[in-house]
Amino acid sequence: MWTITWMSLANIYYELPALRILTDGYITRLPQNAFFGGGGGLAETRQAFKPDVGAVTRVLTALGGPSSVNLLLTGHSHFDHSFDTATWSRLTNARIVGSKTTCFQATAENIPADRCTAVYGGEKIALADGVTLHVVRWNHSGDPATNPEQHNPVELEATPRPDPQTGGLHAGVAEDFPNGGGGRGFLFVVDGPDGRFSWFYQNSASAADLHVPIVVGGTNYGAPIDNLKAVLRAAGLGSVDLWIGTGGLPVAQLVLPVIRPKAYLPIHWDGLWGAFQAGVPRPYSDPALEELIAKSRVQLLKPNQYLDKWRLDPNGVRPLQNDAVKQALGF
């Protein structure tokens, strides 16, 4: 069975017949008042922090224990995406795929360097029999004028130094957790006995420069929307079965005509600061985007609670019960 579970923010858990994949997986919740500076107020932190290993362990136990995660993906390297990646890897021995920055963050927490694979966009990775992952070089929300430290593509160039007193890292987006050179979108293509199906995941985006090439260290990684088109061509796809993404109406207006999804799951709409164990802080609502989705005849998968789950196959997407896992976490 192929299932997709939304675990809060941009955290998505995929259960494939031979593989269990966690994307982002940020369960620790850092306090808002620890951040300051920059256009978005997230540039720096007043102290170093360590992941909430207990909270991550509780979620892992509810999922089924260490064997329930064997691959970790990070779409970009801000704290609300990659802060817990090393912890997940330590608890499960799962390998990591993400930006160079994510790999440096992981080695700062004593994860072996060879357990993390840096990807730059355009990679085609065979995950399992009939399952292929295509990496799409992408951008981050915002724009250079209002929040450059969040938006502009920046990679770490070395392993950050943990705080000598606490062993923690500074989670600011202008400190140990820049975005990792923009972002990485992930296109999954499955060729199974019942047919082909696919889904595209991206955890941030800016309509301001989706058509502008990403340049880091003098290397041109292409414009995100052009990169997406190229990957779809390489995969032989004219549409996808599911888009898991964020960015609101401006991004959807640019992405929908390219990927022509049959269904859409909105993510990263529930805020950064609410405690994971408190559950969804408010109902999902984006009237302008919902109107466009409806006019485009795309099925909207409206999340109601953390750990909501769906099945995806060549026949489409449909909700599944996930009561045992939700009850284990108090939802």
Side-chain angles (χ1 to χ4, degrees):
M1 181 181 293
W2 306 79
T3 67
I4 291 171
T5 301
W6 177 59
M7 289 174 42
S8 79
L9 301 178
N11 310 324
I12 299 289
Y13 178 55
Y14 305 113
E15 294 173 88
L16 286 62
L19 198 60
R20 303 290 184 269
I21 304 170
L22 180 61
T23 305
D24 290 357
Y26 175 64
I27 303 301
T28 299
R29 292 297 191 265
L30 300 179
Q32 184 175 9
N33 61 10
F35 291 83
F36 68 95
L42 301 174
E44 299 179 68
T45 48
R46 294 180 172 85
Q47 66 185 83
F49 289 91
K50 298 187 73 174
D52 187 339
V53 177
V56 174
T57 301
R58 285 191 294 274
V59 176
L60 178 61
T61 300
L63 294 176
S67 63
S68 61
V69 176
N70 43 41
L71 176 62
L72 299 162
L73 304 178
T74 57
H76 69 271
S77 305
H78 283 162
F79 72 93
D80 54 320
H81 299 266
S82 66
F83 194 78
D84 291 337
T85 298
T87 298
W88 284 102
S89 185
R90 184 175 300 109
L91 294 172
T92 65
N93 290 319
R95 71 188 194 275
I96 303 166
V97 172
S99 70
K100 179 175 68 173
T101 292
T102 288
C103 292
F104 282 136
Q105 292 165 347
T107 57
E109 296 190 51
N110 298 313
I111 298 301
D114 61 3
R115 196 182 294 176
C116 186
T117 300
V119 290
Y120 300 87
E123 293 87 354
K124 179 181 178 181
I125 303 171
L127 297 181
D129 187 26
V131 184
T132 304
L133 174 68
H134 298 262
V135 182
V136 183
R137 190 59 174 254
W138 204 245
N139 70 357
H140 191 274
S141 64
D143 64 71
T146 58
N147 57 354
E149 71 289 335
Q150 282 179 249
H151 169 75
N152 292 353
V154 174
E155 290 264 32
L156 289 178
E157 294 301 328
T159 297
R161 290 186 176 186
D163 179 78
Q165 277 73 48
T166 67
L169 295 174
H170 283 273
V173 301
E175 297 178 306
D176 296 336
F177 285 80
N179 58 34
R184 311 294 186 273
F186 300 114
L187 174 68
F188 296 82
V189 182
V190 178
D191 290 292
D194 298 323
R196 169 177 267 209
F197 59 99
S198 60
W199 68 95
F200 176 60
Y201 167 94
Q202 48 80 212
N203 62 18
S204 188
S206 172
D209 54 7
L210 208 63
H211 291 85
V212 178
I214 294 168
V215 179
V216 181
T219 300
N220 186 331
Y221 292 101
I225 201 71
D226 293 334
N227 295 339
L228 179 56
K229 292 175 182 177
V231 164
L232 288 168
R233 286 195 301 270
L237 293 173
S239 64
V240 300
D241 294 278
L242 173 64
W243 173 26
I244 303 171
T246 186
L249 179 64
V251 169
Q253 288 173 324
L254 298 174
V255 173
L256 277 175
V258 175
I259 63 174
R260 298 168 55 211
K262 296 177 183 175
Y264 171 65
L265 172 61
I267 59 170
H268 218 338
W269 51 268
D270 50 317
L272 298 179
W273 313 114
F276 172 80
Q277 61 267 26
V280 173
R282 62 186 183 278
Y284 171 77
S285 178
D286 189 337
L289 176 57
E290 292 178 56
E291 181 180 1
L292 175 63
I293 292 294
K295 286 182 177 179
S296 303
R297 298 184 179 180
V298 174
Q299 177 188 2
L300 175 63
L301 308 178
K302 187 177 286 192
N304 295 304
Q305 183 56 279
Y306 296 159
L307 281 301
D308 279 357
K309 187 173 185 176
W310 295 266
R311 174 171 179 159
L312 176 62
D313 59 33
N315 297 314
V317 188
R318 54 192 178 278
L320 294 175
Q321 295 295 323
N322 200 23
D323 293 345
V325 176
K326 288 183 178 181
Q327 289 170 6
L329 292 169
F331 299 137

